[in-house]
Amino acid sequence: MTAPDKRRPLPALVVIAALTLLTALVWFRVLHRSDAAAHPAAANTPCPTPSATAPPRALPKPSAVTLVVLNSTSRSGLAAGAKKTLVADGFKVSQVANDATTYGGHGEITGVAEIRFGPSERAAAALLGYYVPGAKAVQTDSSAATVILSLGAKYTAILAPAKASAAISSATAHSTIAAPSPTPTATATASCSSS
């Protein structure tokens, strides 16, 4: 009878160690991948330029802005009074109405006002924001060439043109304009690289 063969455990241990190391590496990559790898569409998205996300610097003249003025409160005559002031300041006002019965009935606004505008009217909305400080700017998907000013409970008056001009000059000097701008998503920002 011959002696039993002794098996060498070394080759089996090397294979097990290699597989364990490979598995650990794969899991490390999966758990620590970047947002660009997690969202391939974002990796192909071009980085936003400052001008694409920054508020417009070239504001139109009031005479180039057409407004719809709405009253979103229970106070009577609020929109009509604002229309008189805005027209005197050079704006075009195409309509005055109650917000509850017009444009989807947004109901009462508790703040100063809402300035609703489509993408093509960002500059006009930014200009109007200087005349109605404290108004909330709301970008919509509207393609209309009008800006909707919906007056709220805290509205008191339209700012005088001289004060609005001073605010515009001050904001331009500090490189800020009072209109909101869409902020890029975190994944798009993470995938951007400077060239």
Side-chain angles (χ1 to χ4, degrees), residues 15-185:
V15 170
I16 291 174
L19 289 174
T20 303
L21 183 61
L22 183 62
T23 303
L25 180 63
V26 168
W27 277 108
F28 178 81
R29 297 276 308 205
V30 167
L31 296 174
H32 293 91
R33 67 182 171 199
S34 69
D35 284 338
H39 304 285
N44 296 330
T45 304
C47 295
T49 60
S51 62
T53 58
R57 296 206 184 276
L59 298 177
K61 293 184 179 189
S63 60
V65 179
T66 302
L67 302 173
V68 171
V69 182
L70 303 176
N71 183 352
S72 294
T73 72
S74 57
R75 294 169 22 204
S76 180
L78 194 63
K83 175 189 175 181
K84 288 179 186 176
T85 304
L86 289 164
V87 168
D89 293 345
F91 289 93
K92 296 176 191 171
V93 178
S94 65
Q95 185 178 3
V96 174
N98 287 325
D99 198 9
T101 59
T102 312
Y103 297 95
H106 287 81
E108 287 198 16
I109 294 175
T110 57
V112 174
E114 275 188 5
I115 299 172
R116 300 182 203 127
F117 60 97
S120 65
E121 297 301 312
R122 273 186 69 217
L127 174 67
L128 185 59
Y130 288 106
Y131 285 82
V132 189
K136 178 182 177 186
V138 179
Q139 184 168 339
T140 67
D141 59 357
S142 172
S143 60
T146 57
V147 176
I148 298 173
L149 173 61
S150 190
L151 305 172
K154 293 183 180 176
Y155 167 78
T156 55
I158 302 293
L159 199 61
K163 289 184 178 182
S165 293
I168 292 168
S169 296
S170 174
T172 302
H174 293 96
S175 299
T176 57
I177 302 257
S181 61
T183 52
T185 62

